[in-house]
Amino acid sequence: MRLKVLGAYGASDAEHNLTGYLIDDWMAVDAGTLTSKLSFAQQGRIQGVFITHPHADHIRDLPHLILNRFSQNTGPLTIFAAREVMDLLLRDVFNGTVWPDFSGINSTLTGKPAVHYRALVPGKRIMFNDIALTPVPVDHAIPAAGVIIEMNGQAIVFTGDTGPTQEIWKRTNKTQNVVAVVTEASFPNDQQALADETAHLTPNTFGDELKKIVADAPVYASHRKIPYERDIESQIRNLRDRRARVLLEKNYTL
Ligand SMILES: [Zn+2]
Ligand SMILES: [Zn+2]
């Protein structure tokens, strides 16, 4: 599978982008960066977006993706999230104040809504086109779930933002042919207290999580905070585990 990393940071400036991933050009995970790095035509090819949690750095481009789809003559966009996460998105974002609820408005081009919401039961694997999605809760400051995506005999795991966690690693270890894991290391080791308080990882706790994963696959640290990106990179390298990598904003072939 092809993984296009549109945003690999937990903060943004002219050279660093918020969390957003695209798999094989049509399935996205998180929407911090989607519209801002994809052409109108590329946006039209996205069929599904899985949202890990409603923090602004993971949904910034989602309202704009939905609006653009409304003016494109393409198939519908399905927004996936674990049930509790979807409830928050509908209550706090697509509430008619921050943004309209486009699921109830027919596009003049297609005569149908441009977006559907699909709330998922945590831990339950579902099929979407020919891929499988399994949302698995993680431990963050608000309700949050990562996702295991199985496609063409390969699996990739995204935790989204999380502190130390268990369930998603148990599911990962039961999944066949995991080719990559994308998790996080937001703060450097000397900010462990802040990381713990905000339910994030440092390279130290990333290293502890790594020990819970049996797959011999690259495990990427995403969501670095900008001022500490070099420190985090060298601390990840110092873990001396060949699976441990920092995630870069580029295209990966897995
Ligand atoms: Zn975040
Ligand atoms: Zn978050």
Side-chain angles (χ1 to χ4, degrees):
M1 72 177 79
R2 285 170 293 124
L3 170 65
K4 187 191 276 284
V5 179
L6 299 163
Y9 290 87
S12 81
D13 68 6
E15 289 163 359
H16 302 78
N17 298 288
L18 300 171
T19 306
Y21 313 116
L22 191 60
I23 300 165
D24 281 8
D25 295 326
W26 68 269
M27 181 70 212
V29 175
D30 278 343
T33 303
L34 288 179
T35 54
S36 49
K37 290 279 168 186
L38 294 175
S39 70
F40 204 66
Q42 286 172 318
Q43 292 174 39
R45 288 197 279 275
I46 300 178
Q47 296 181 43
V49 183
F50 181 92
I51 300 293
T52 60
H53 68 299
H55 274 155
D57 55 317
H58 299 256
I59 62 163
R60 183 191 61 181
D61 283 358
L62 188 56
H64 315 296
L65 179 67
I66 292 169
L67 176 67
N68 288 350
R69 288 301 282 262
F70 193 71
S71 48
Q72 288 179 311
N73 196 356
T74 57
L77 175 71
T78 305
I79 312 291
F80 296 93
R83 215 168 24 200
E84 263 187 300
V85 173
M86 188 66 84
D87 288 346
L88 293 173
L89 286 172
L90 298 181
R91 189 192 75 183
D92 296 339
V93 183
F94 303 122
N95 55 12
T97 301
V98 175
W99 208 243
D101 176 0
F102 277 94
S103 73
I105 310 171
N106 287 334
S107 156
T108 51
L109 292 173
T110 62
K112 295 176 192 159
V115 60
H116 300 306
Y117 307 123
R118 193 156 164 197
L120 304 179
V121 178
K124 187 164 180 233
R125 184 173 182 271
I126 60 122
M127 297 304 294
F128 176 55
N129 298 334
D130 56 352
I131 69 171
L133 305 175
T134 309
V136 188
V138 293
D139 290 86
H140 193 37
I142 58 169
V147 64
I148 300 173
I149 298 180
E150 295 161 83
M151 181 186 273
N152 301 327
Q154 295 183 311
I156 181 166
V157 179
F158 297 90
T159 66
D161 293 3
T162 188
T165 194
Q166 302 292 344
E167 186 61 29
I168 199 162
W169 304 139
K170 285 186 196 151
R171 292 298 290 251
T172 298
N173 292 342
K174 285 183 195 158
T175 303
Q176 298 290 314
N177 201 21
V178 172
V179 293
V181 174
V182 179
T183 184
E184 66 136 285
S186 298
F187 298 105
N189 289 333
D190 63 0
Q191 295 191 37
Q192 188 64 57
L194 177 61
D196 292 344
E197 202 176 305
T198 54
H200 284 295
L201 300 173
T202 63
N204 266 341
T205 42
F206 172 95
D208 295 339
E209 298 304 293
L210 202 53
K211 291 178 193 138
K212 302 175 188 172
I213 305 167
V214 297
D216 185 20
V219 178
Y220 293 99
S222 185
H223 205 264
R224 286 177 287 164
K225 299 295 179 185
I226 294 169
Y228 319 116
E229 61 170 323
R230 298 282 166 241
D231 288 348
I232 293 170
E233 191 174 347
S234 65
Q235 291 166 6
I236 293 283
R237 212 177 305 122
N238 288 340
L239 292 171
R240 308 232 172 275
D241 184 318
R242 67 189 178 87
R243 296 177 299 164
R245 323 262 168 95
V246 293
L247 191 70
L248 304 174
E249 290 180 352
K250 64 170 201 171
N251 296 330
Y252 292 84
T253 302
L254 303 169

